[in-house]
Amino acid sequence: MSVKQGLLALLAEEPMYGARLRSEFEARTGGTWPLNVGQVYTTLARLERDGLVEAVGGADDEGRIAYRLTDAGREATASWWLTPVDRDSTPRDELVIKLALAVTSPGVDVPRVVQTQRTATLRHLRDLTRLKSRASDEPDANDLAWLLVLENLLFAAESEVRWLDHVEATITRMPPATLRRRGEAGADASDAPDASPAVEGARS
């Protein structure tokens, strides 16, 4: 989720100034995506330029300016809620790229790379599990939001461990000479079958 869409979603409820937008954003996402006030006000300036938000009067006694959605901003927010997340434009996964390079680079101890990452991911998984065990049995709205974020991170960590197990098993079955040849060949894309849009996006 972009900061832009997050701020628009919050402003759909009521006008807010930058510091409150920041605190609300972090509270509702469990602090998973920390923001700084400068980032919030830079985003608000762009939203105002694009006609999606507008200032509500002048600054208060503390110099704060509240913002609210325009009609265009409300339309954009309503549309965002019902628009599926585009997986073709999601950020590249550094771990996937790292291992893809490792198996095609001579001299890299790929099993050790995998084992090191698995150890770190398992540690992260244990930390997340402990956090979940401390979550309230009857959460309020903000606690529920944090729980959903936490469970998403748990599922992602569990999936990463399974994928690393698969990578290790695959490497174990392949003769070392095969990996070296792949590194030298560079995986000629011209001979590969047509990829899905998501794969093409990852390659670009």
Side-chain angles (χ1 to χ4, degrees), residues 71-106:
D71 290 342
R74 291 191 179 281
E75 291 178 8
T77 303
S79 175
W80 176 66
W81 287 123
L82 299 178
T83 302
V85 174
D86 183 2
R87 296 299 180 186
D88 292 344
S89 62
T90 52
R92 292 171 173 80
D93 189 317
E94 181 181 351
L95 177 58
V96 175
I97 295 172
K98 182 179 185 178
L99 288 175
L101 291 172
V103 299
T104 57
S105 298

Side-chain angles (χ1 to χ4, degrees), residues 1 14 18 24 34 62 79 86 95 124 139 145 152-153 161 198 203:
M1 179 182 71
E14 61 178 305
E24 288 285 342
E62 298 181 26
S79 175
D86 183 2
L95 177 58
H124 180 55
N152 174 268
L153 296 174
V161 171
R203 287 179 177 172

Side-chain angles (χ1 to χ4, degrees), residues 31-188:
T32 307
W33 296 284
L35 302 177
N36 60 62
V37 173
Q39 184 179 12
V40 171
Y41 278 109
T42 297
T43 304
L44 284 171
R46 291 172 182 164
L47 292 173
E48 187 174 24
R49 177 201 63 194
D50 295 339
L52 300 177
V53 306
E54 61 186 4
V56 182
D60 64 12
D61 294 339
E62 298 181 26
R64 300 173 304 188
I65 299 176
Y67 290 85
R68 65 188 173 197
L69 293 186
T70 62
D71 290 342
R74 291 191 179 281
E75 291 178 8
T77 303
S79 175
W80 176 66
W81 287 123
L82 299 178
T83 302
V85 174
D86 183 2
R87 296 299 180 186
D88 292 344
S89 62
T90 52
R92 292 171 173 80
D93 189 317
E94 181 181 351
L95 177 58
V96 175
I97 295 172
K98 182 179 185 178
L99 288 175
L101 291 172
V103 299
T104 57
S105 298
V108 177
D109 187 345
V110 182
R112 185 176 180 183
V113 173
V114 173
Q115 290 165 11
T116 300
Q117 183 63 47
R118 184 195 290 107
T119 298
T121 304
L122 286 172
R123 186 183 306 114
H124 180 55
L125 185 58
R126 287 193 297 270
D127 292 342
L128 292 172
T129 302
R130 282 195 292 268
L131 284 174
K132 183 179 179 182
S133 69
R134 294 199 294 267
S136 172
D137 293 332
E138 298 181 1
D140 62 23
N142 280 357
D143 289 336
L144 178 58
W146 164 230
L147 187 60
L148 292 175
V149 172
L150 184 58
E151 288 175 338
N152 174 268
L153 296 174
L154 274 165
F155 288 137
E158 290 169 351
S159 176
E160 183 168 290
V161 171
R162 291 196 301 272
W163 181 68
L164 289 168
D165 289 342
H166 169 74
V167 170
E168 186 172 52
T170 301
I171 292 171
T172 300
R173 291 194 301 268
M174 294 182 68
T178 302
L179 294 177
R180 285 197 298 272
R181 285 198 300 272
R182 285 186 60 82
E184 293 165 0
D188 188 354

